[in-house]
Amino acid sequence: MITSRSPYQLELDLRLPDRGEAPCRDAQEVEVVMAPAEPESPASTEHLMEAICDPDNIEAAMDAVVRNKGAPGIDGITVKQLPGILSARWPEIERQLLQGRYQPQPVRRVKIPKPAGGTRNLGIPTVIDRVIQQAILLRLQPLWDPTFSEHSYGFRPGRSAHQAVEQAQAYIIEGYRFVVDIDLAKFFDRVNHDRLMAAVAARVADRRLLRLIRSYLTAGVLDNGLFADSREGTPQGGPLSPLLSNLVLDELDRELRCRGHRFVRYADDCNIYVRSEKAGRRVMESLTRFIERRLKLQINAEKSAVARPWHRSFLGFTVRNEPEFRRCIATKAVIRFKHRVRELTGRHRGITLERMIRKLVLYLPGMGRLLRLQPVARVASPRRLDSAASALCRLGPVEDAWQTISGTPSSQCPGAGGLRGRLQPQGAVATELHPRVAPRLRQCSLQAAGSASHGKAGERLIRRTAVYGPVRTVVWEGWHREMPPYPDVCRTCPTAWG
């Protein structure tokens, strides 16, 4: 016998406790973050390949690759040859991309030394593959970047390392006086391909693009003529690698945000700021387990630590242990800068002066950017030249365009009467240096008083050269420099530094 249940059900009006809700903490300790209501990729991603192969997008990608210059890949095609070769091959390449049959070429392995020792592996794709990766980046970055954490500053448009350092300084001023400095060991070489492609597939629906990105990850490496498979890692050197690295570490950002931590991340450098050393060690242990077990990455135990912020450096900066916690350039960054300047201005490099200057001008703007972020940048005065400034003087001739020597008797400045004409300086000295130093590096002939025998004002060129020891002024005279230089040891004769 089957009995039917009554359609009317009675329900007790009892207040049940909230299940699974974490206890509420102090509002100052937890950062309240609301999850975005909109999807990660608001635009349709089913036909991304057609948008990537759009002529305007390809032209913008090619311009970016040519502007960035860079070394050729395994095929030897340079960026200067790229426009002509790409225009001839593009119809076939576009057909393969739209059909999902394009196969990238292996990357060329290049090893560069690290400042702290060891080498960093770079993978240089061919220029055509760089154009395709850049075209993918131009379409995916506007879709993915808004979904990344606001505490991530590396390789993102509108964000820089200076902003990351300023945010770290703000945390220290708020009272978070301990830092958990996490350094990932060989991050770009140990990215798990399956986890990365799962994250990409969650945002991209175009199977052709998914197959192309997987092909770039597994294209292989050509190292000294030997081919090696790529079973893990993203080639560090292609335009698409920074975006993929941010996608991998976005899961770490979400975990730190859910825990309510104050953190700053720039690429694979991550700093978490806490109030006590005990809390820092607890965070270090839990994050080590999360990174190694969940993300399948490894933490560099030698470079990671829990310490005071003024005992650590972040992106070349640190803070002073004072009430204002002012930013300053880290000691290691200054040492690396001096060492590099000595290498670029070595005496026995066997290159021309113009080439030496070009290499130095390409390197110096990096230190200039650091000096702009430092509130008070202490620049050595010309009277207190250190070893790095002495290395700069090896670029000689360095003419002081603002010193005029006049009224000097020939007895005090020997050889002044031997001038046979006006010696014009040749070449150009870099003027892109610090504004206080640049005027002293311009080449200009200096007017000086001649000897009493002819009674006319002659012109003499003051040049500087570096010697082992104090920097001294020497005078070269004559059209053909037939007289050897001699040190200006006369105290009554004005020096070029004033």
Side-chain angles (χ1 to χ4, degrees):
M1 178 178 179
I2 301 176
T3 60
S4 60
R5 298 182 59 183
S6 172
Y8 302 101
Q9 299 292 334
L10 300 179
E11 183 178 5
L12 297 178
D13 187 10
L14 298 178
R15 298 187 62 183
L16 298 177
D18 296 334
R19 298 177 181 177
E21 183 178 356
C24 182
R25 299 181 182 177
D26 188 4
Q28 298 180 354
E29 294 290 334
V30 179
E31 180 181 4
V32 180
V33 180
M34 301 298 295
E38 61 181 5
E40 294 181 347
S41 299
S44 176
T45 59
E46 295 181 357
H47 304 284
L48 270 177
M49 189 59 71
E50 283 76 9
I52 291 172
C53 295
D54 183 75
D56 295 337
N57 189 56
I58 295 298
E59 184 178 359
M62 185 182 63
D63 293 341
V65 172
V66 173
R67 184 172 57 252
N68 294 334
K69 299 180 181 180
I74 62 174
D75 56 0
I77 300 177
T78 63
V79 292
K80 293 183 179 180
Q81 303 170 343
L82 174 62
I85 295 179
L86 183 62
S87 61
R89 299 183 182 179
W90 177 246
E92 177 63 23
I93 295 176
E94 182 182 12
R95 184 166 52 254
Q96 294 179 2
L97 288 173
L98 294 178
Q99 296 176 358
R101 298 186 297 104
Y102 181 78
Q103 182 61 37
Q105 294 184 348
V107 298
R108 181 170 62 90
R109 173 69 72 205
V110 176
K111 296 182 179 180
I112 60 175
K114 290 184 177 180
T119 58
R120 176 181 288 109
N121 294 330
L122 298 182
I124 309 300
T126 61
V127 289
I128 294 180
D129 285 335
R130 293 210 294 267
V131 171
I132 299 175
Q133 291 189 26
Q134 185 70 31
I136 298 173
L137 178 67
L138 293 178
R139 293 301 182 184
L140 293 184
Q141 194 165 49
L143 301 178
W144 293 4
D145 190 79
T147 66
F148 292 154
S149 172
E150 62 180 354
H151 304 284
S152 172
Y153 294 88
F155 309 119
R156 299 182 60 186
R159 292 174 173 263
S160 63
H162 291 179
Q163 298 176 356
V165 174
E166 291 172 356
Q167 183 60 59
Q169 183 189 20
Y171 288 147
I172 299 172
I173 294 176
E174 290 178 7
Y176 298 87
R177 307 292 167 76
F178 285 89
V179 58
V180 182
D181 190 355
I182 295 179
D183 183 86
L184 300 179
K186 296 183 178 180
F187 165 71
F188 287 92
D189 297 336
R190 296 179 177 175
V191 173
N192 187 274
H193 288 175
D194 294 334
R195 290 189 57 83
L196 174 58
M197 290 307 304
V200 175
R203 299 169 179 251
V204 174
D206 196 329
R207 293 183 177 274
R208 297 168 298 178
L209 182 56
L210 294 176
R211 189 179 300 110
L212 180 61
I213 295 177
R214 168 76 77 167
S215 300
Y216 276 118
L217 295 176
T218 60
V221 178
L222 195 64
D223 188 4
N224 293 328
L226 300 178
F227 177 82
D229 294 329
S230 300
R231 300 182 179 180
E232 61 179 2
T234 60
Q236 188 177 1
L240 197 57
S241 296
L243 182 64
L244 297 179
S245 65
N246 277 331
L247 181 61
V248 172
L249 295 178
D250 185 61
E251 188 173 357
L252 174 62
D253 298 339
R254 295 174 183 269
E255 180 68 19
L256 294 174
R257 185 178 60 183
C258 292
R259 297 185 184 186
H261 289 309
R262 272 72 173 172
F263 71 97
V264 179
R265 184 179 66 81
Y266 190 93
D268 56 342
D269 293 333
C270 184
N271 281 8
I272 302 101
Y273 294 88
V274 296
R275 293 186 181 273
S276 64
E277 185 178 2
K278 183 178 180 180
R281 298 192 179 280
R282 183 174 64 251
V283 170
M284 174 68 79
E285 294 177 0
S286 61
L287 287 182
T288 300
R289 292 193 299 267
F290 175 82
I291 292 174
E292 293 181 352
R293 298 178 183 179
R294 183 74 175 271
L295 301 183
K296 308 299 182 182
L297 299 173
Q298 186 176 355
I299 289 182
N300 192 339
E302 297 180 357
K303 296 183 179 180
S304 303
V306 178
R308 293 286 191 177
W310 46 87
H311 293 159
R312 308 290 296 180
S313 62
F314 181 56
L315 302 179
F317 283 90
T318 185
V319 296
R320 299 184 185 275
N321 185 13
E322 55 187 24
E324 295 83 4
F325 297 105
R326 292 184 301 171
R327 299 184 300 268
C328 61
I329 303 177
T331 304
K332 293 182 179 179
V334 177
I335 294 176
R336 289 197 300 265
F337 169 74
K338 293 182 178 181
H339 179 71
R340 182 58 177 164
V341 169
R342 293 190 191 99
E343 290 182 348
L344 294 176
T345 59
R347 292 173 177 272
H348 306 292
R349 294 194 61 193
I351 61 177
T352 61
L353 176 64
E354 287 76 10
R355 183 178 178 185
M356 185 183 298
I357 291 173
R358 286 197 299 267
K359 289 181 175 295
L360 186 63
V361 169
L362 292 176
Y363 177 72
L364 290 180
M367 179 56 67
R369 288 189 290 267
L370 294 180
L371 290 175
R372 285 199 299 268
L373 186 59
Q374 180 171 300
V376 180
R378 182 179 181 274
V379 182
S381 63
R383 298 181 183 275
R384 301 179 61 182
L385 294 175
D386 56 0
S387 55
S390 300
L392 284 174
C393 292
R394 296 174 190 163
L395 286 177
V398 177
E399 290 82 9
D400 194 338
W402 311 106
Q403 292 289 336
T404 301
I405 303 177
S406 60
T408 305
S410 59
S411 59
Q412 296 181 3
C413 293
L419 185 61
R420 299 183 180 177
R422 182 173 180 177
L423 176 62
Q424 296 289 345
Q426 302 293 330
V429 177
T431 59
E432 291 83 357
L433 303 178
H434 195 275
R436 293 180 56 187
V437 184
R440 301 181 179 274
L441 298 183
R442 297 174 183 168
Q443 291 194 352
C444 175
S445 61
L446 300 181
Q447 299 204 355
S451 62
S453 59
H454 54 76
K456 296 183 179 180
E459 292 181 351
R460 183 168 61 249
L461 188 63
I462 302 298
R463 298 176 179 268
R464 286 196 174 273
T465 184
V467 295
Y468 291 101
V471 179
R472 297 178 293 180
T473 304
V474 297
V475 179
W476 288 5
E477 298 184 1
W479 280 97
H480 304 286
R481 303 177 182 175
E482 67 276 5
M483 298 182 61
Y486 55 89
D488 186 6
V489 297
C490 182
R491 296 185 179 180
T492 58
C493 179
T495 61
W497 288 111

